[in-house]
mmCIF file with all atom_site columns, all heavy atoms in Angstrom:
data_model
loop_
_atom_site.group_PDB
_atom_site.id
_atom_site.type_symbol
_atom_site.label_atom_id
_atom_site.label_alt_id
_atom_site.label_comp_id
_atom_site.label_asym_id
_atom_site.label_entity_id
_atom_site.label_seq_id
_atom_site.pdbx_PDB_ins_code
_atom_site.Cartn_x
_atom_site.Cartn_y
_atom_site.Cartn_z
_atom_site.occupancy
_atom_site.B_iso_or_equiv
_atom_site.pdbx_formal_charge
_atom_site.auth_seq_id
_atom_site.auth_comp_id
_atom_site.auth_asym_id
_atom_site.auth_atom_id
_atom_site.pdbx_PDB_model_num
ATOM 1   N N   . GLY M 1 21 ? -5.840  -4.746  -9.517  1.00 0.00 ? 21 GLY M N   1
ATOM 2   C CA  . GLY M 1 21 ? -5.814  -6.152  -9.140  1.00 0.00 ? 21 GLY M CA  1
ATOM 3   C C   . GLY M 1 21 ? -5.421  -6.387  -7.690  1.00 0.00 ? 21 GLY M C   1
ATOM 4   O O   . GLY M 1 21 ? -4.972  -7.475  -7.344  1.00 0.00 ? 21 GLY M O   1
ATOM 5   N N   . LEU M 1 22 ? -5.579  -5.407  -6.830  1.00 0.00 ? 22 LEU M N   1
ATOM 6   C CA  . LEU M 1 22 ? -5.270  -5.578  -5.409  1.00 0.00 ? 22 LEU M CA  1
ATOM 7   C C   . LEU M 1 22 ? -5.939  -6.856  -4.918  1.00 0.00 ? 22 LEU M C   1
ATOM 8   O O   . LEU M 1 22 ? -7.137  -7.041  -5.100  1.00 0.00 ? 22 LEU M O   1
ATOM 9   C CB  . LEU M 1 22 ? -5.784  -4.367  -4.625  1.00 0.00 ? 22 LEU M CB  1
ATOM 10  C CG  . LEU M 1 22 ? -5.555  -4.359  -3.117  1.00 0.00 ? 22 LEU M CG  1
ATOM 11  C CD1 . LEU M 1 22 ? -4.075  -4.174  -2.816  1.00 0.00 ? 22 LEU M CD1 1
ATOM 12  C CD2 . LEU M 1 22 ? -6.356  -3.243  -2.468  1.00 0.00 ? 22 LEU M CD2 1
ATOM 13  N N   . CYS M 1 23 ? -5.168  -7.756  -4.319  1.00 0.00 ? 23 CYS M N   1
ATOM 14  C CA  . CYS M 1 23 ? -5.745  -9.057  -3.969  1.00 0.00 ? 23 CYS M CA  1
ATOM 15  C C   . CYS M 1 23 ? -5.423  -9.489  -2.539  1.00 0.00 ? 23 CYS M C   1
ATOM 16  O O   . CYS M 1 23 ? -5.199  -10.658 -2.291  1.00 0.00 ? 23 CYS M O   1
ATOM 17  C CB  . CYS M 1 23 ? -5.333  -10.115 -4.982  1.00 0.00 ? 23 CYS M CB  1
ATOM 18  S SG  . CYS M 1 23 ? -3.566  -10.307 -5.166  1.00 0.00 ? 23 CYS M SG  1
ATOM 19  N N   . GLY M 1 24 ? -5.382  -8.531  -1.623  1.00 0.00 ? 24 GLY M N   1
ATOM 20  C CA  . GLY M 1 24 ? -5.234  -8.908  -0.223  1.00 0.00 ? 24 GLY M CA  1
ATOM 21  C C   . GLY M 1 24 ? -4.282  -8.042  0.572   1.00 0.00 ? 24 GLY M C   1
ATOM 22  O O   . GLY M 1 24 ? -4.292  -8.065  1.791   1.00 0.00 ? 24 GLY M O   1
ATOM 23  N N   . GLY M 1 25 ? -3.430  -7.297  -0.083  1.00 0.00 ? 25 GLY M N   1
ATOM 24  C CA  . GLY M 1 25 ? -2.473  -6.443  0.614   1.00 0.00 ? 25 GLY M CA  1
ATOM 25  C C   . GLY M 1 25 ? -3.094  -5.141  1.082   1.00 0.00 ? 25 GLY M C   1
ATOM 26  O O   . GLY M 1 25 ? -4.308  -4.943  1.016   1.00 0.00 ? 25 GLY M O   1
ATOM 27  N N   . LEU M 1 50 ? -7.279  0.999   -8.285  1.00 0.00 ? 50 LEU M N   1
ATOM 28  C CA  . LEU M 1 50 ? -7.990  -0.160  -7.733  1.00 0.00 ? 50 LEU M CA  1
ATOM 29  C C   . LEU M 1 50 ? -8.869  -0.871  -8.761  1.00 0.00 ? 50 LEU M C   1
ATOM 30  O O   . LEU M 1 50 ? -9.816  -1.565  -8.397  1.00 0.00 ? 50 LEU M O   1
ATOM 31  C CB  . LEU M 1 50 ? -8.839  0.224   -6.514  1.00 0.00 ? 50 LEU M CB  1
ATOM 32  C CG  . LEU M 1 50 ? -8.089  0.783   -5.320  1.00 0.00 ? 50 LEU M CG  1
ATOM 33  C CD1 . LEU M 1 50 ? -9.056  1.057   -4.174  1.00 0.00 ? 50 LEU M CD1 1
ATOM 34  C CD2 . LEU M 1 50 ? -6.981  -0.134  -4.862  1.00 0.00 ? 50 LEU M CD2 1
ATOM 35  N N   . TYR M 1 51 ? -8.567  -0.751  -10.016 1.00 0.00 ? 51 TYR M N   1
ATOM 36  C CA  . TYR M 1 51 ? -9.348  -1.419  -11.056 1.00 0.00 ? 51 TYR M CA  1
ATOM 37  C C   . TYR M 1 51 ? -9.288  -2.934  -10.844 1.00 0.00 ? 51 TYR M C   1
ATOM 38  O O   . TYR M 1 51 ? -8.219  -3.524  -10.754 1.00 0.00 ? 51 TYR M O   1
ATOM 39  C CB  . TYR M 1 51 ? -8.796  -1.072  -12.444 1.00 0.00 ? 51 TYR M CB  1
ATOM 40  C CG  . TYR M 1 51 ? -9.623  -1.637  -13.573 1.00 0.00 ? 51 TYR M CG  1
ATOM 41  C CD1 . TYR M 1 51 ? -10.641 -0.892  -14.145 1.00 0.00 ? 51 TYR M CD1 1
ATOM 42  C CD2 . TYR M 1 51 ? -9.397  -2.921  -14.052 1.00 0.00 ? 51 TYR M CD2 1
ATOM 43  C CE1 . TYR M 1 51 ? -11.410 -1.406  -15.167 1.00 0.00 ? 51 TYR M CE1 1
ATOM 44  C CE2 . TYR M 1 51 ? -10.167 -3.442  -15.078 1.00 0.00 ? 51 TYR M CE2 1
ATOM 45  C CZ  . TYR M 1 51 ? -11.166 -2.683  -15.632 1.00 0.00 ? 51 TYR M CZ  1
ATOM 46  O OH  . TYR M 1 51 ? -11.938 -3.192  -16.646 1.00 0.00 ? 51 TYR M OH  1
ATOM 47  N N   . GLY M 1 52 ? -10.424 -3.554  -10.729 1.00 0.00 ? 52 GLY M N   1
ATOM 48  C CA  . GLY M 1 52 ? -10.490 -5.011  -10.616 1.00 0.00 ? 52 GLY M CA  1
ATOM 49  C C   . GLY M 1 52 ? -9.972  -5.575  -9.304  1.00 0.00 ? 52 GLY M C   1
ATOM 50  O O   . GLY M 1 52 ? -9.622  -6.751  -9.232  1.00 0.00 ? 52 GLY M O   1
ATOM 51  N N   . ALA M 1 53 ? -9.923  -4.782  -8.255  1.00 0.00 ? 53 ALA M N   1
ATOM 52  C CA  . ALA M 1 53 ? -9.449  -5.273  -6.959  1.00 0.00 ? 53 ALA M CA  1
ATOM 53  C C   . ALA M 1 53 ? -10.382 -6.358  -6.436  1.00 0.00 ? 53 ALA M C   1
ATOM 54  O O   . ALA M 1 53 ? -11.595 -6.278  -6.597  1.00 0.00 ? 53 ALA M O   1
ATOM 55  C CB  . ALA M 1 53 ? -9.360  -4.123  -5.969  1.00 0.00 ? 53 ALA M CB  1
ATOM 56  N N   . THR M 1 54 ? -9.808  -7.373  -5.793  1.00 0.00 ? 54 THR M N   1
ATOM 57  C CA  . THR M 1 54 ? -10.606 -8.488  -5.284  1.00 0.00 ? 54 THR M CA  1
ATOM 58  C C   . THR M 1 54 ? -10.584 -8.617  -3.769  1.00 0.00 ? 54 THR M C   1
ATOM 59  O O   . THR M 1 54 ? -11.478 -9.228  -3.190  1.00 0.00 ? 54 THR M O   1
ATOM 60  C CB  . THR M 1 54 ? -10.141 -9.820  -5.895  1.00 0.00 ? 54 THR M CB  1
ATOM 61  O OG1 . THR M 1 54 ? -8.762  -10.018 -5.564  1.00 0.00 ? 54 THR M OG1 1
ATOM 62  C CG2 . THR M 1 54 ? -10.320 -9.815  -7.404  1.00 0.00 ? 54 THR M CG2 1
ATOM 63  N N   . ALA M 1 55 ? -9.562  -8.084  -3.112  1.00 0.00 ? 55 ALA M N   1
ATOM 64  C CA  . ALA M 1 55 ? -9.451  -8.166  -1.655  1.00 0.00 ? 55 ALA M CA  1
ATOM 65  C C   . ALA M 1 55 ? -8.401  -7.161  -1.204  1.00 0.00 ? 55 ALA M C   1
ATOM 66  O O   . ALA M 1 55 ? -7.670  -6.597  -2.009  1.00 0.00 ? 55 ALA M O   1
ATOM 67  C CB  . ALA M 1 55 ? -9.064  -9.578  -1.224  1.00 0.00 ? 55 ALA M CB  1
ATOM 68  N N   . GLY M 1 56 ? -8.313  -6.953  0.099   1.00 0.00 ? 56 GLY M N   1
ATOM 69  C CA  . GLY M 1 56 ? -7.319  -6.041  0.643   1.00 0.00 ? 56 GLY M CA  1
ATOM 70  C C   . GLY M 1 56 ? -7.918  -4.701  1.013   1.00 0.00 ? 56 GLY M C   1
ATOM 71  O O   . GLY M 1 56 ? -9.145  -4.520  0.998   1.00 0.00 ? 56 GLY M O   1
ATOM 72  N N   . SER M 1 57 ? -7.039  -3.746  1.339   1.00 0.00 ? 57 SER M N   1
ATOM 73  C CA  . SER M 1 57 ? -7.501  -2.423  1.747   1.00 0.00 ? 57 SER M CA  1
ATOM 74  C C   . SER M 1 57 ? -6.596  -1.348  1.170   1.00 0.00 ? 57 SER M C   1
ATOM 75  O O   . SER M 1 57 ? -5.415  -1.578  0.934   1.00 0.00 ? 57 SER M O   1
ATOM 76  C CB  . SER M 1 57 ? -7.547  -2.321  3.274   1.00 0.00 ? 57 SER M CB  1
ATOM 77  O OG  . SER M 1 57 ? -6.278  -2.594  3.827   1.00 0.00 ? 57 SER M OG  1
ATOM 78  N N   . ALA M 1 58 ? -7.186  -0.173  0.958   1.00 0.00 ? 58 ALA M N   1
ATOM 79  C CA  . ALA M 1 58 ? -6.446  0.949   0.392   1.00 0.00 ? 58 ALA M CA  1
ATOM 80  C C   . ALA M 1 58 ? -6.913  2.240   1.040   1.00 0.00 ? 58 ALA M C   1
ATOM 81  O O   . ALA M 1 58 ? -8.116  2.432   1.245   1.00 0.00 ? 58 ALA M O   1
ATOM 82  C CB  . ALA M 1 58 ? -6.640  1.012   -1.116  1.00 0.00 ? 58 ALA M CB  1
ATOM 83  N N   . ALA M 1 69 ? -11.852 2.439   -8.411  1.00 0.00 ? 69 ALA M N   1
ATOM 84  C CA  . ALA M 1 69 ? -12.435 1.183   -7.919  1.00 0.00 ? 69 ALA M CA  1
ATOM 85  C C   . ALA M 1 69 ? -13.444 0.553   -8.879  1.00 0.00 ? 69 ALA M C   1
ATOM 86  O O   . ALA M 1 69 ? -14.374 -0.139  -8.450  1.00 0.00 ? 69 ALA M O   1
ATOM 87  C CB  . ALA M 1 69 ? -13.059 1.373   -6.538  1.00 0.00 ? 69 ALA M CB  1
ATOM 88  N N   . VAL M 1 70 ? -13.283 0.770   -10.163 1.00 0.00 ? 70 VAL M N   1
ATOM 89  C CA  . VAL M 1 70 ? -14.152 0.118   -11.147 1.00 0.00 ? 70 VAL M CA  1
ATOM 90  C C   . VAL M 1 70 ? -13.910 -1.389  -11.097 1.00 0.00 ? 70 VAL M C   1
ATOM 91  O O   . VAL M 1 70 ? -12.776 -1.847  -10.998 1.00 0.00 ? 70 VAL M O   1
ATOM 92  C CB  . VAL M 1 70 ? -13.877 0.673   -12.561 1.00 0.00 ? 70 VAL M CB  1
ATOM 93  C CG1 . VAL M 1 70 ? -14.557 -0.170  -13.629 1.00 0.00 ? 70 VAL M CG1 1
ATOM 94  C CG2 . VAL M 1 70 ? -14.337 2.112   -12.658 1.00 0.00 ? 70 VAL M CG2 1
ATOM 95  N N   . ARG M 1 71 ? -14.980 -2.149  -11.104 1.00 0.00 ? 71 ARG M N   1
ATOM 96  C CA  . ARG M 1 71 ? -14.958 -3.612  -11.045 1.00 0.00 ? 71 ARG M CA  1
ATOM 97  C C   . ARG M 1 71 ? -14.357 -4.152  -9.740  1.00 0.00 ? 71 ARG M C   1
ATOM 98  O O   . ARG M 1 71 ? -13.829 -5.255  -9.690  1.00 0.00 ? 71 ARG M O   1
ATOM 99  C CB  . ARG M 1 71 ? -14.246 -4.215  -12.254 1.00 0.00 ? 71 ARG M CB  1
ATOM 100 C CG  . ARG M 1 71 ? -14.937 -3.888  -13.558 1.00 0.00 ? 71 ARG M CG  1
ATOM 101 C CD  . ARG M 1 71 ? -14.455 -4.768  -14.704 1.00 0.00 ? 71 ARG M CD  1
ATOM 102 N NE  . ARG M 1 71 ? -15.055 -4.357  -15.950 1.00 0.00 ? 71 ARG M NE  1
ATOM 103 C CZ  . ARG M 1 71 ? -16.275 -4.650  -16.362 1.00 0.00 ? 71 ARG M CZ  1
ATOM 104 N NH1 . ARG M 1 71 ? -17.061 -5.366  -15.601 1.00 0.00 ? 71 ARG M NH1 1
ATOM 105 N NH2 . ARG M 1 71 ? -16.718 -4.237  -17.530 1.00 0.00 ? 71 ARG M NH2 1
ATOM 106 N N   . ASN M 1 72 ? -14.445 -3.375  -8.682  1.00 0.00 ? 72 ASN M N   1
ATOM 107 C CA  . ASN M 1 72 ? -14.034 -3.844  -7.358  1.00 0.00 ? 72 ASN M CA  1
ATOM 108 C C   . ASN M 1 72 ? -14.963 -4.986  -6.949  1.00 0.00 ? 72 ASN M C   1
ATOM 109 O O   . ASN M 1 72 ? -16.173 -4.849  -7.012  1.00 0.00 ? 72 ASN M O   1
ATOM 110 C CB  . ASN M 1 72 ? -14.131 -2.695  -6.352  1.00 0.00 ? 72 ASN M CB  1
ATOM 111 C CG  . ASN M 1 72 ? -13.762 -3.099  -4.941  1.00 0.00 ? 72 ASN M CG  1
ATOM 112 O OD1 . ASN M 1 72 ? -13.198 -4.153  -4.699  1.00 0.00 ? 72 ASN M OD1 1
ATOM 113 N ND2 . ASN M 1 72 ? -14.079 -2.229  -4.003  1.00 0.00 ? 72 ASN M ND2 1
ATOM 114 N N   . SER M 1 73 ? -14.377 -6.085  -6.525  1.00 0.00 ? 73 SER M N   1
ATOM 115 C CA  . SER M 1 73 ? -15.219 -7.212  -6.140  1.00 0.00 ? 73 SER M CA  1
ATOM 116 C C   . SER M 1 73 ? -14.895 -7.725  -4.740  1.00 0.00 ? 73 SER M C   1
ATOM 117 O O   . SER M 1 73 ? -15.224 -8.861  -4.414  1.00 0.00 ? 73 SER M O   1
ATOM 118 C CB  . SER M 1 73 ? -15.087 -8.347  -7.162  1.00 0.00 ? 73 SER M CB  1
ATOM 119 O OG  . SER M 1 73 ? -13.758 -8.835  -7.182  1.00 0.00 ? 73 SER M OG  1
ATOM 120 N N   . GLY M 1 74 ? -14.233 -6.895  -3.910  1.00 0.00 ? 74 GLY M N   1
ATOM 121 C CA  . GLY M 1 74 ? -13.982 -7.362  -2.555  1.00 0.00 ? 74 GLY M CA  1
ATOM 122 C C   . GLY M 1 74 ? -13.054 -6.502  -1.717  1.00 0.00 ? 74 GLY M C   1
ATOM 123 O O   . GLY M 1 74 ? -12.900 -6.748  -0.534  1.00 0.00 ? 74 GLY M O   1
ATOM 124 N N   . ALA M 1 75 ? -12.419 -5.505  -2.282  1.00 0.00 ? 75 ALA M N   1
ATOM 125 C CA  . ALA M 1 75 ? -11.494 -4.658  -1.531  1.00 0.00 ? 75 ALA M CA  1
ATOM 126 C C   . ALA M 1 75 ? -12.246 -3.568  -0.770  1.00 0.00 ? 75 ALA M C   1
ATOM 127 O O   . ALA M 1 75 ? -13.362 -3.197  -1.121  1.00 0.00 ? 75 ALA M O   1
ATOM 128 C CB  . ALA M 1 75 ? -10.477 -4.016  -2.474  1.00 0.00 ? 75 ALA M CB  1
ATOM 129 N N   . THR M 1 76 ? -11.595 -3.054  0.261   1.00 0.00 ? 76 THR M N   1
ATOM 130 C CA  . THR M 1 76 ? -12.118 -1.943  1.048   1.00 0.00 ? 76 THR M CA  1
ATOM 131 C C   . THR M 1 76 ? -11.223 -0.740  0.816   1.00 0.00 ? 76 THR M C   1
ATOM 132 O O   . THR M 1 76 ? -9.996  -0.866  0.849   1.00 0.00 ? 76 THR M O   1
ATOM 133 C CB  . THR M 1 76 ? -12.114 -2.302  2.548   1.00 0.00 ? 76 THR M CB  1
ATOM 134 O OG1 . THR M 1 76 ? -12.940 -3.440  2.745   1.00 0.00 ? 76 THR M OG1 1
ATOM 135 C CG2 . THR M 1 76 ? -12.619 -1.147  3.388   1.00 0.00 ? 76 THR M CG2 1
ATOM 136 N N   . ALA M 1 77 ? -11.830 0.427   0.565   1.00 0.00 ? 77 ALA M N   1
ATOM 137 C CA  . ALA M 1 77 ? -11.039 1.625   0.293   1.00 0.00 ? 77 ALA M CA  1
ATOM 138 C C   . ALA M 1 77 ? -11.634 2.847   0.971   1.00 0.00 ? 77 ALA M C   1
ATOM 139 O O   . ALA M 1 77 ? -12.850 2.960   1.107   1.00 0.00 ? 77 ALA M O   1
ATOM 140 C CB  . ALA M 1 77 ? -10.959 1.868   -1.220  1.00 0.00 ? 77 ALA M CB  1
ATOM 141 N N   . TYR M 1 89 ? -19.627 -0.762  -11.850 1.00 0.00 ? 89 TYR M N   1
ATOM 142 C CA  . TYR M 1 89 ? -19.640 -2.229  -11.973 1.00 0.00 ? 89 TYR M CA  1
ATOM 143 C C   . TYR M 1 89 ? -19.071 -2.954  -10.761 1.00 0.00 ? 89 TYR M C   1
ATOM 144 O O   . TYR M 1 89 ? -18.525 -4.045  -10.876 1.00 0.00 ? 89 TYR M O   1
ATOM 145 C CB  . TYR M 1 89 ? -18.904 -2.669  -13.253 1.00 0.00 ? 89 TYR M CB  1
ATOM 146 C CG  . TYR M 1 89 ? -19.355 -1.939  -14.479 1.00 0.00 ? 89 TYR M CG  1
ATOM 147 C CD1 . TYR M 1 89 ? -18.519 -1.021  -15.108 1.00 0.00 ? 89 TYR M CD1 1
ATOM 148 C CD2 . TYR M 1 89 ? -20.640 -2.113  -14.979 1.00 0.00 ? 89 TYR M CD2 1
ATOM 149 C CE1 . TYR M 1 89 ? -18.934 -0.316  -16.218 1.00 0.00 ? 89 TYR M CE1 1
ATOM 150 C CE2 . TYR M 1 89 ? -21.069 -1.408  -16.096 1.00 0.00 ? 89 TYR M CE2 1
ATOM 151 C CZ  . TYR M 1 89 ? -20.208 -0.523  -16.709 1.00 0.00 ? 89 TYR M CZ  1
ATOM 152 O OH  . TYR M 1 89 ? -20.630 0.177   -17.802 1.00 0.00 ? 89 TYR M OH  1
ATOM 153 N N   . MET M 1 90 ? -19.165 -2.355  -9.573  1.00 0.00 ? 90 MET M N   1
ATOM 154 C CA  . MET M 1 90 ? -18.734 -3.051  -8.357  1.00 0.00 ? 90 MET M CA  1
ATOM 155 C C   . MET M 1 90 ? -19.707 -4.175  -8.043  1.00 0.00 ? 90 MET M C   1
ATOM 156 O O   . MET M 1 90 ? -20.913 -3.995  -8.090  1.00 0.00 ? 90 MET M O   1
ATOM 157 C CB  . MET M 1 90 ? -18.682 -2.084  -7.166  1.00 0.00 ? 90 MET M CB  1
ATOM 158 C CG  . MET M 1 90 ? -17.439 -1.261  -7.098  1.00 0.00 ? 90 MET M CG  1
ATOM 159 S SD  . MET M 1 90 ? -17.372 -0.196  -5.624  1.00 0.00 ? 90 MET M SD  1
ATOM 160 C CE  . MET M 1 90 ? -17.539 -1.357  -4.292  1.00 0.00 ? 90 MET M CE  1
ATOM 161 N N   . THR M 1 91 ? -19.172 -5.339  -7.699  1.00 0.00 ? 91 THR M N   1
ATOM 162 C CA  . THR M 1 91 ? -20.011 -6.469  -7.332  1.00 0.00 ? 91 THR M CA  1
ATOM 163 C C   . THR M 1 91 ? -19.914 -6.800  -5.848  1.00 0.00 ? 91 THR M C   1
ATOM 164 O O   . THR M 1 91 ? -20.723 -7.561  -5.335  1.00 0.00 ? 91 THR M O   1
ATOM 165 C CB  . THR M 1 91 ? -19.636 -7.719  -8.150  1.00 0.00 ? 91 THR M CB  1
ATOM 166 O OG1 . THR M 1 91 ? -18.250 -8.001  -7.943  1.00 0.00 ? 91 THR M OG1 1
ATOM 167 C CG2 . THR M 1 91 ? -19.912 -7.488  -9.626  1.00 0.00 ? 91 THR M CG2 1
ATOM 168 N N   . ASN M 1 92 ? -18.932 -6.259  -5.169  1.00 0.00 ? 92 ASN M N   1
ATOM 169 C CA  . ASN M 1 92 ? -18.735 -6.469  -3.746  1.00 0.00 ? 92 ASN M CA  1
ATOM 170 C C   . ASN M 1 92 ? -17.708 -5.446  -3.277  1.00 0.00 ? 92 ASN M C   1
ATOM 171 O O   . ASN M 1 92 ? -17.319 -4.565  -4.026  1.00 0.00 ? 92 ASN M O   1
ATOM 172 C CB  . ASN M 1 92 ? -18.270 -7.901  -3.462  1.00 0.00 ? 92 ASN M CB  1
ATOM 173 C CG  . ASN M 1 92 ? -18.564 -8.338  -2.041  1.00 0.00 ? 92 ASN M CG  1
ATOM 174 O OD1 . ASN M 1 92 ? -18.967 -7.532  -1.197  1.00 0.00 ? 92 ASN M OD1 1
ATOM 175 N ND2 . ASN M 1 92 ? -18.374 -9.615  -1.763  1.00 0.00 ? 92 ASN M ND2 1
ATOM 176 N N   . GLY M 1 93 ? -17.253 -5.557  -2.059  1.00 0.00 ? 93 GLY M N   1
ATOM 177 C CA  . GLY M 1 93 ? -16.292 -4.602  -1.531  1.00 0.00 ? 93 GLY M CA  1
ATOM 178 C C   . GLY M 1 93 ? -16.985 -3.400  -0.913  1.00 0.00 ? 93 GLY M C   1
ATOM 179 O O   . GLY M 1 93 ? -18.212 -3.306  -0.892  1.00 0.00 ? 93 GLY M O   1
ATOM 180 N N   . LEU M 1 94 ? -16.164 -2.480  -0.408  1.00 0.00 ? 94 LEU M N   1
ATOM 181 C CA  . LEU M 1 94 ? -16.680 -1.302  0.267   1.00 0.00 ? 94 LEU M CA  1
ATOM 182 C C   . LEU M 1 94 ? -15.777 -0.119  -0.054  1.00 0.00 ? 94 LEU M C   1
ATOM 183 O O   . LEU M 1 94 ? -14.559 -0.213  0.066   1.00 0.00 ? 94 LEU M O   1
ATOM 184 C CB  . LEU M 1 94 ? -16.701 -1.531  1.782   1.00 0.00 ? 94 LEU M CB  1
ATOM 185 C CG  . LEU M 1 94 ? -17.099 -0.361  2.654   1.00 0.00 ? 94 LEU M CG  1
ATOM 186 C CD1 . LEU M 1 94 ? -18.582 -0.037  2.454   1.00 0.00 ? 94 LEU M CD1 1
ATOM 187 C CD2 . LEU M 1 94 ? -16.824 -0.667  4.106   1.00 0.00 ? 94 LEU M CD2 1
ATOM 188 N N   . VAL M 1 95 ? -16.375 0.979   -0.476  1.00 0.00 ? 95 VAL M N   1
ATOM 189 C CA  . VAL M 1 95 ? -15.629 2.208   -0.747  1.00 0.00 ? 95 VAL M CA  1
ATOM 190 C C   . VAL M 1 95 ? -16.277 3.332   0.049   1.00 0.00 ? 95 VAL M C   1
ATOM 191 O O   . VAL M 1 95 ? -17.478 3.583   -0.088  1.00 0.00 ? 95 VAL M O   1
ATOM 192 C CB  . VAL M 1 95 ? -15.618 2.556   -2.251  1.00 0.00 ? 95 VAL M CB  1
ATOM 193 C CG1 . VAL M 1 95 ? -14.970 3.911   -2.485  1.00 0.00 ? 95 VAL M CG1 1
ATOM 194 C CG2 . VAL M 1 95 ? -14.891 1.469   -3.036  1.00 0.00 ? 95 VAL M CG2 1
#
Side-chain angles (χ1 to χ4, degrees):
L22 180 70
C23 57
L50 299 183
Y51 185 92
T54 59
S57 57
V70 169
R71 298 195 185 281
N72 178 14
S73 63
T76 300
Y89 310 110
M90 278 183 57
T91 57
N92 202 351
L94 175 69
V95 174

